[in-house]
C-alpha cells in the first residue's frame, strides 16, 4: 500500500482489444452504479452499468493488496456487488439479507477486501435480477509469484446473454407460462418424423412419458431469443483481439450469462486449458469446452501464422451463437462462422429414466397429487439407488459406482454429463471435449482427508409452475444449512430435474471428486447435469453467513437457494491450514 490512501476512479480496463500486463496499484477505488443504454446490435434496452458505461469493465488487483472499494448507488432502487469466487470476510460478500443490507439509492457502501488469491473471476449485482440487466464485470487478480505457464499477451473474453426484456419481465413471463421463451416446441411434423424412424408405438410412449412428467425434451434452455455478446459486442460487429504469429495468447473466458451455457471452440486452433475458476490446473489440450453459467476458464492458444480466427461460443441448446475474432492485423476478416449444429433433445436417459437404467423410474410419483409433490417437482419417489444391487459388470456403459454405492453417469461415458445423448457434448470434427475428469489441481490448496459428514443436496423443481428448489423446499420455506468451522463436508448433488444447474457456494472452495485425490480440481461453481450425481468436498474455513445457490438467475429467483451458516471460528475450533493460496 502507499503511505496514504490513493483515491481514484476504479481502475477499469476496457475489454475491447487491450492486452493487460501491468500490476494494479494498491489504493481506494470508486465505482458508481448507473442506468445505461445497452446496444447489442440487434436491439437497444435500458440496463445497468458501472461508472456510466454499458461496456463490460475489467477490474484488476494484485495478490497481497488490501482493497478499499466505494460503491455509490445512482439507481432508484437498492443494489449490491458480489465478488464472485473471492475468499473474503462474509460481511464483504455483497449478498443482501445474508452478508449486509444492500446499498440503498443514493448511498455509498465501502467494501474492504484482502486479496489473498490470484486468477480470473468476476463481479455482479446480487440484488433482484439486476445481473441479467447488465450489472456485471470482470475481476482479474494478478499473482504475486510467477505462474506455471508462459504467455505473451492476454485478453478477457466475457460472455453474456442479453435479452430484450428486463430480468423482472422475463421472470414474470416464466411464472405465467414456463415455455414462454421456448422457440423450439415439438410439432406434429416432428411426431411423424419420429414415428417414421422409431415406430408409432414407441413414439406415442415417448410423448406420453414427457406428458406425464409435464416436461419437454426441448427444455434445455428456459430463455431463448437472447443476443449473446462477447465483451459487449454482438456477432455482426465482433470483439477482436490482435496477435503476432507465434505469440502465446491467454484468453480469460468468463460466462456471466443469466441462463446460457456456451460451448467454446476456435476452428483451426487447439486450446490448452490452464485454469478453472481461478485455480491453476495441469495443462490439458482440447478442441472445445463447455462453460457453465458463472464459471471461468483460462486457455492459452498459439496462432503460428498470420490471419484471422473465429472464437465461437455456441449455446448448449444450439439456439444462438456469440462470436469474437483473433486477428494478426486490423481489418482481417476470418472465414464465415459455421452454422449452428443440430438441435439437441433431452431423452429419458438424460433424466435417468431410460428403461436400460434398470427401472430407476419405478415408483416415481408425478406432480399434481399433493402440495408436497408439487413442491418437490414430482421427483420425490425417484429411486436413485435402484441400480445399487447390480454388479459392476452389469452396469450400463459409462456408469460409475460412487463410494456410497450409488451410480453416477451413464451412456455418455462421462459422469459429469447427462446420461443420454441430449446433453452429451462432442467436439466439432471429433476432437477432444473438456470434462471435469480432465482437470487436476496444479497446486492443491488442501490436504486430502476424509470428510466428517455428508450432506445430500437434491436439485428439484416444477417446470409447470416454474418453481425451483433444493430437497423439494424453496428458499423462503427452508432452514439454513449449518456447518461447523474446521470440518470437511462432503456434498452429494443429485439432479432430479431436466436442466443443468451451476451450483455456487460463496466464501469457500468446492473440491470436485473426480477420483484424483489431493489433485481433485478446486472450483467455485459446479455444473450438475440432468440425471447425474456429483460429489464435492469443502473445507469449512470461513465463519459467518453465506449464500449457496443455482447460478441460473431465474432458478435462483425461483427458489433454488440456501443460506449457509458456519458456526465457530479460529478461537473456538482451529481449522487445518491450507497450503498457500494460489489461483
Amino acid at each position: 500500500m502507499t503511505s496514504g490512501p490513493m483515491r481514484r476512479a476504479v481502475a477499469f480496463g476496457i475489454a475491447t482489444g487491450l492486452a493487460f500486463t501491468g500490476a494494479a496499484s494498491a489504493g481506494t477505488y470508486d465505482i458508481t452504479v448507473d442506468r445505461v443504454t445497452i446496444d447489442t446490435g440487434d436491439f437497444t434496452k435500458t440496463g445497468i452499468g458501472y461508472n456510466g458505461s454499458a461496456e463490460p469493465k475489467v477490474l484488476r488487483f494484485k495478490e497481497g493488496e488490501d482493497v478499499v472499494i466505494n460503491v455509490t448507488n445512482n439507481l432508484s432502487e437498492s443494489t449490491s456487488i458480489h465478488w464472485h469466487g473471492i475468499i473474503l470476510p462474509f460481511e464483504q460478500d455483497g449478498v443482501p439479507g445474508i452478508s449486509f443490507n444492500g446499498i440503498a439509492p443514493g448511498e455509498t457502501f465501502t467494501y474492504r477486501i484482502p486479496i489473498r488469491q490470484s486468477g480470473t473471476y468476476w463481479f455482479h449485482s446480487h440484488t433482484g435480477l439486476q445481473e441479467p440487466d447488465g450489472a456485471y464485470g470482470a475481476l482479474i487478480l494478478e499473482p504475486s509469484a510467477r505462474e506455471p505457464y508462459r504467455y505473451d499477451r492476454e485478453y478477457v473474453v466475457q460472455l453474456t446473454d442479453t435479452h430484450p426484456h428486463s430480468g423482472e419481465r422475463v421472470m414474470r413471463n416464466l411464472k405465467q407460462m414456463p415455455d414462454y421463451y421456448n422457440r423450439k416446441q415439438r410439432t406434429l411434423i416432428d411426431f411423424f418424423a419420429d414415428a417414421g424412424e422409431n415406430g408409432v408405438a414407441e413414439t406415442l410412449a415417448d410423448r406420453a412419458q414427457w406428458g406425464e412428467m409435464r416436461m419437454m425434451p426441448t427444455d434445455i434452455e428456459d430463455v431463448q431469443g437472447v443476443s449473446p455478446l462477447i465483451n459487449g459486442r454482438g456477432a455482426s460487429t465482433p470483439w477482436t483481439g490482435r496477435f503476432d504469429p507465434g505469440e502465446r495468447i491467454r484468453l480469460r473466458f468468463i460466462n456471466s450469462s443469466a441462463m446460457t451455457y456456451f460451448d467454446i471452440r476456435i476452428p483451426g486452433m487447439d486450446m490448452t486449458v490452464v485454469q478453472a475458476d481461478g485455480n491453476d490446473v495441469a495443462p490439458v489440450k482440447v478442441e472445445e469446452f463447455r462453460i457453465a453459467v458463472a464459471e471461468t476458464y483460462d486457455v492459452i492458444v498459439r496462432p503460428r501464422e498470420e490471419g484471422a480466427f473465429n472464437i465461437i461460443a455456441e449455446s448448449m441448446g444450439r439456439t444462438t451463437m456469440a462470436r469474437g475474432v483473433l486477428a494478426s492485423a486490423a481489418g482481417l476478416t476470418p472465414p464465415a462462422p459455421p452454422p449452428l449444429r443440430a438441435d439437441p433433445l433431452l431423452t429419458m436417459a438424460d433424466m435417468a429414466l431410460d428403461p436400460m437404467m434398470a427401472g430407476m423410474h419405478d415408483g416415481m410419483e408425478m406432480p399434481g397429487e399433493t402440495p408436497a409433490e408439487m413442491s418437490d417437482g414430482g421427483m420425490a419417489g425417484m429411486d436413485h439407488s435402484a441400480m445399487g444391487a447390480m454388479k459392476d459388470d452389469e452396469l450400463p456403459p459409462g456408469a460409475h459406482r460412487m463410494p456410497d454405492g450409488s451410480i453416477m453417469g451413464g451412456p455418455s461415458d462421462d459422469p459429469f454429463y447427462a446420461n443420454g445423448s441430449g446433453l452429451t457434448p462432442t467436439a466439432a470434427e471429433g476432437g477432444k471435449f473438456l470434462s471435469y475428469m480432465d482437470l487436476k489441481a496444479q497446486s492443491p490448496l488442501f490436504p486430502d482427508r476424509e470428510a466428517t459428514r455428508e450432506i445430500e443436496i437434491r436439485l428439484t423443481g416444477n417446470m409447470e409452475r416454474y418453481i425451483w428448489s433444493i430437497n423439494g423446499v424453496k428458499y423462503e420455506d427452508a432452514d439454513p444449512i449449518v456447518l461447523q468451522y474446521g470440518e470437511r463436508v462432503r456434498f452429494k448433488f443429485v439432479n432430479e430435474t431436466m436442466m443443468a444447474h451451476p451450483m455456487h457456494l460463496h466464501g469457500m472452495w468446492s473440491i470436485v471428486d473426480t477420483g484424483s485425490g489431493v489433485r481433485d480440481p478446486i472450483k467455485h461453481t459446479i455444473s450438475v447435469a440432468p440425471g447425474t450425481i456429483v460429489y464435492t468436498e469443502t473445507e469449512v474455513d470461513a465463519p459467518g453467513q453465506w449464500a449457496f445457490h443455482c447460478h441460473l438467475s431465474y432458478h435462483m429467483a425461483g427458489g433454488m437457494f440456501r443460506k449457509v451458516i458456519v458456526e465457530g471460528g479460529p478461537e473456538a475450533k482451529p481449522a487445518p491450514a491450507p497450503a498457500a493460496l494460489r489461483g
Side-chain angles (χ1 to χ4, degrees):
M1 289 283 285
T2 55
S3 57
M6 178 173 60
R7 189 179 185 88
R8 57 184 175 177
V10 67
F12 281 124
I14 303 298
T16 305
L18 295 184
F20 299 99
T21 56
S25 300
T28 299
Y29 303 84
D30 295 331
I31 297 177
T32 61
V33 186
D34 308 290
R35 285 287 171 193
V36 297
T37 298
I38 299 172
D39 186 351
T40 69
D42 298 322
F43 57 84
T44 60
K45 64 178 288 187
T46 299
I48 298 173
Y50 296 116
N51 287 19
S53 174
E55 193 164 11
K57 306 300 188 295
V58 180
L59 175 58
R60 301 181 73 89
F61 299 126
K62 179 86 172 183
E63 184 178 12
E65 183 179 354
D66 292 319
V67 174
V68 177
I69 307 173
N70 298 309
V71 179
T72 299
N73 182 8
N74 291 332
L75 306 178
S76 59
E77 62 198 74
S78 182
T79 192
S80 60
I81 293 182
H82 164 59
W83 314 96
H84 186 105
I86 306 305
I87 305 302
L88 74 182
F90 86 94
E91 299 91 343
Q92 309 302 313
D93 195 43
V95 181
I98 293 183
S99 55
F100 78 146
N101 293 325
I103 309 171
E107 293 190 352
T108 298
F109 181 84
T110 299
Y111 289 92
R112 301 180 186 276
I113 304 174
I115 306 299
R116 302 296 182 263
Q117 62 200 97
S118 62
T120 302
Y121 302 92
W122 63 298
F123 61 95
H124 58 85
S125 173
H126 225 289
T127 299
L129 291 164
Q130 292 177 354
E131 179 201 316
D133 286 340
Y136 66 89
L139 182 58
I140 307 304
L141 306 182
E142 298 174 343
S144 58
R146 181 178 176 178
E147 294 179 285
Y149 37 84
R150 293 173 49 206
Y151 57 94
D152 304 297
R153 193 190 296 256
E154 66 169 274
Y155 296 105
V156 170
V157 183
Q158 192 158 20
L159 294 144
T160 194
D161 57 352
T162 302
H163 197 279
H165 294 167
S166 70
E168 295 292 342
R169 181 177 174 185
V170 170
M171 189 65 189
R172 286 197 305 270
N173 288 339
L174 288 170
K175 292 292 287 185
Q176 293 173 2
M177 187 184 300
D179 59 349
Y180 187 96
Y181 296 104
N182 188 341
R183 298 183 173 184
K184 298 209 169 185
Q185 302 275 18
R186 306 224 74 195
T187 65
L188 185 62
I189 294 174
D190 293 316
F191 175 86
F192 287 128
D194 291 349
E197 181 176 347
N198 304 316
V200 173
E202 182 176 335
T203 301
L204 285 171
D206 176 75
R207 296 299 196 274
Q209 283 182 301
W210 286 107
E212 287 174 355
M213 290 191 298
R214 300 177 187 178
M215 301 174 186
M216 291 171 284
T218 56
D219 266 331
I220 294 171
E221 296 170 339
D222 290 1
V223 181
Q224 298 170 18
V226 301
S227 183
L229 308 178
I230 290 180
N231 295 339
R233 304 287 296 272
S236 59
T237 57
W239 167 86
T240 299
R242 199 189 69 78
F243 68 85
D244 291 330
E247 282 187 321
R248 293 176 173 88
I249 314 299
R250 180 179 186 170
L251 301 175
R252 299 178 182 263
F253 286 93
I254 303 170
N255 189 356
S256 40
S257 297
M259 298 292 286
T260 305
Y261 280 54
F262 286 101
D263 291 341
I264 308 293
R265 68 191 194 272
I266 305 177
M269 196 181 302
D270 292 337
M271 299 176 286
T272 300
V273 178
V274 296
Q275 201 177 87
D277 286 0
N279 288 290
D280 294 334
V281 297
V284 53
K285 184 176 289 188
V286 301
E287 279 72 42
E288 191 166 349
F289 66 92
R290 176 166 293 170
I291 185 167
V293 171
E295 285 187 319
T296 73
Y297 282 102
D298 288 36
V299 308
I300 292 177
V301 298
R302 193 175 189 185
R304 298 184 181 275
E305 298 179 354
E306 293 184 351
F309 299 84
N310 286 305
I311 300 173
I312 300 297
E314 194 175 20
S315 73
M316 181 171 67
R318 305 295 183 247
T319 60
T320 191
M321 178 189 294
R323 181 171 75 104
V325 173
L326 288 177
S328 60
L332 289 180
T333 303
L340 287 165
R341 288 174 287 186
D343 298 349
L345 288 176
L346 290 167
T347 68
M348 289 297 113
D350 290 307
M351 295 299 299
L353 300 178
D354 192 278
M356 74 178 293
M357 304 304 264
M360 285 184 70
H361 63 296
D362 290 348
M364 172 180 162
E365 298 175 8
M366 296 301 165
E369 296 299 324
T370 67
E373 289 169 3
M374 292 299 286
S375 68
D376 203 348
M379 297 295 190
M382 183 185 289
D383 180 7
H384 285 272
S385 61
M387 290 194 294
M390 299 176 69
K391 297 178 181 179
D392 286 348
D393 59 3
E394 297 173 335
L395 295 176
H400 300 256
R401 190 179 303 279
M402 298 306 292
D404 68 350
S406 63
I407 304 304
M408 183 175 176
S412 69
D413 201 25
D414 189 325
F416 294 99
Y417 288 117
N419 294 315
S421 60
L423 295 182
T424 304
T426 55
E429 301 177 358
K432 169 68 178 172
F433 199 108
L434 183 73
S435 164
Y436 284 175
M437 297 293 289
D438 299 313
L439 300 177
K440 292 180 173 55
Q442 184 79 256
S443 299
L445 301 186
F446 305 99
D448 185 26
R449 66 175 180 129
E450 291 294 322
T452 54
R453 61 180 168 133
E454 180 176 290
I455 298 175
E456 183 170 277
I457 305 291
R458 292 187 299 111
L459 307 179
T460 48
N462 187 311
M463 186 67 182
E464 188 174 61
R465 297 174 61 195
Y466 211 76
I467 292 173
W468 300 95
S469 53
I470 292 175
N471 296 338
V473 182
K474 295 186 300 180
Y475 173 55
E476 54 264 37
D477 300 324
D479 294 327
I481 297 172
V482 179
L483 307 178
Q484 300 300 317
Y485 186 89
E487 68 176 331
R488 185 179 179 116
V489 174
R490 185 172 176 85
F491 290 103
K492 177 183 180 181
F493 293 95
V494 181
N495 189 350
E496 300 181 0
T497 79
M498 69 293 195
M499 303 291 296
H501 299 286
M503 299 303 296
H504 173 44
L505 173 62
H506 289 218
M508 292 166 278
W509 293 112
S510 295
I511 306 166
V512 188
D513 185 355
T514 62
S516 296
V518 71
R519 298 195 68 196
D520 282 342
I522 303 152
K523 300 182 86 272
H524 53 60
T525 304
I526 311 297
S527 180
V528 187
T532 61
I533 300 172
V534 173
Y535 289 88
T536 69
E537 294 187 0
T538 292
E539 289 283 352
V540 183
D541 56 5
Q545 300 187 150
W546 305 97
F548 192 12
H549 59 90
C550 175
H551 219 286
L552 299 182
S553 295
Y554 305 109
H555 291 190
M556 178 172 62
M560 193 174 279
F561 189 109
R562 282 292 185 276
K563 177 192 287 188
V564 171
I565 298 175
V566 176
E567 296 181 338
E571 301 81 10
K573 188 183 295 183
L581 273 179
R582 270 201 48 77

